[in-house]
Amino acid sequence: AITFAVTGVVVLLHLSPVLSGYIVNTRAEGAISLILAAFWAATVSVVSNASTGLAVNSELDNTIVNGNLYYFSWAGFVTSIMLCVAYLRAVFGVDLAGEIKNRAARLTLWSGLLACQLVVMGASANVFDKSCSSQVESETFCKRTKYGIALGAIGTIFALGVVGMKMITSIAPFVVEGVLAIFLCIMNGFGVA
């Protein structure tokens, strides 16, 4: 309710030509964007946690039981980050997306893979901690969960290595990228099978 009220007031200020000067590209807008991003980060962590039972039910193999709450919490978080990025671009001239695209070819793809692998590793570790530490689940389920943790860790290390090479030197050997991409593709194929 707090984020909705604050967002509603800011939208109304943006719509008014007279009042928009009080909010557009000001420190208040930056502070509001950062606070909203923090609120949405906290919301996502609570909603995605199976032990709270809000959107994910730990008794039903950690399935999503309230899709709207789960997915729109993530959508709100992504939108708040986009607002912060837009503010930085408008006020300080910081163009993160443009800098990443200009830095090296395929850097955004490897960065996206890095984020996905972190999510796989974190979600698998959460499931393992909740379900396998108390011996509630079968041996096969726990082995698959361990594979998810290992897959996420290996993928994170490989993607982080390529992103690091591209950030430091603007290039990464194409053969290294190709071999790692094929390896991770095969590993993720076994992960979803």
Side-chain angles (χ1 to χ4, degrees):
I2 294 171
T3 59
F4 180 75
V6 170
T7 304
V9 169
V10 171
V11 167
L12 290 175
L13 289 173
H14 272 270
L15 292 176
S16 170
V18 175
L19 299 176
S20 65
Y22 292 115
I23 194 72
V24 175
N25 297 337
T26 63
R27 289 184 182 186
E29 184 181 30
I32 290 170
S33 297
L34 284 175
I35 290 168
L36 288 177
F39 274 131
W40 279 111
T43 300
V44 164
S45 67
V46 170
V47 167
S48 298
N49 191 349
S51 65
T52 62
L54 291 173
V56 180
N57 191 341
S58 61
E59 296 173 4
L60 298 173
D61 293 333
N62 295 316
T63 57
I64 297 171
V65 293
N66 191 346
N68 285 341
L69 179 62
Y70 183 83
Y71 293 115
F72 282 101
S73 295
W74 278 101
F77 175 67
V78 169
T79 304
S80 67
I81 295 300
M82 290 173 62
L83 281 172
C84 290
V85 169
Y87 174 78
L88 290 173
R89 186 180 311 125
V91 174
F92 298 110
V94 176
D95 186 11
L96 297 175
E99 287 294 324
I100 289 174
K101 285 180 184 175
N102 291 336
R103 187 73 182 157
R106 297 175 303 281
L107 179 60
T108 53
L109 298 174
W110 281 101
S111 299
L113 179 65
L114 174 63
C116 291
Q117 294 299 320
L118 284 170
V119 169
V120 167
M121 182 175 57
S124 297
N126 189 23
V127 170
F128 183 80
D129 186 43
K130 299 292 181 201
S131 299
C132 294
S133 61
S134 61
Q135 301 299 333
V136 174
E137 294 296 334
S138 68
E139 184 73 23
T140 304
F141 178 84
C142 292
K143 284 182 181 178
R144 289 180 182 170
T145 307
K146 288 178 186 176
Y147 181 77
I149 295 169
L151 175 64
I154 291 168
T156 298
I157 291 168
F158 286 170
L160 189 61
V162 173
V163 167
M165 281 191 281
K166 287 182 173 286
M167 292 299 286
I168 292 170
T169 64
S170 298
I171 57 169
F174 182 75
V175 174
V176 172
E177 279 189 73
V179 169
L180 291 179
I182 290 170
F183 178 75
L184 288 175
C185 184
I186 292 169
M187 293 282 292
N188 281 293
F190 282 113
V192 298

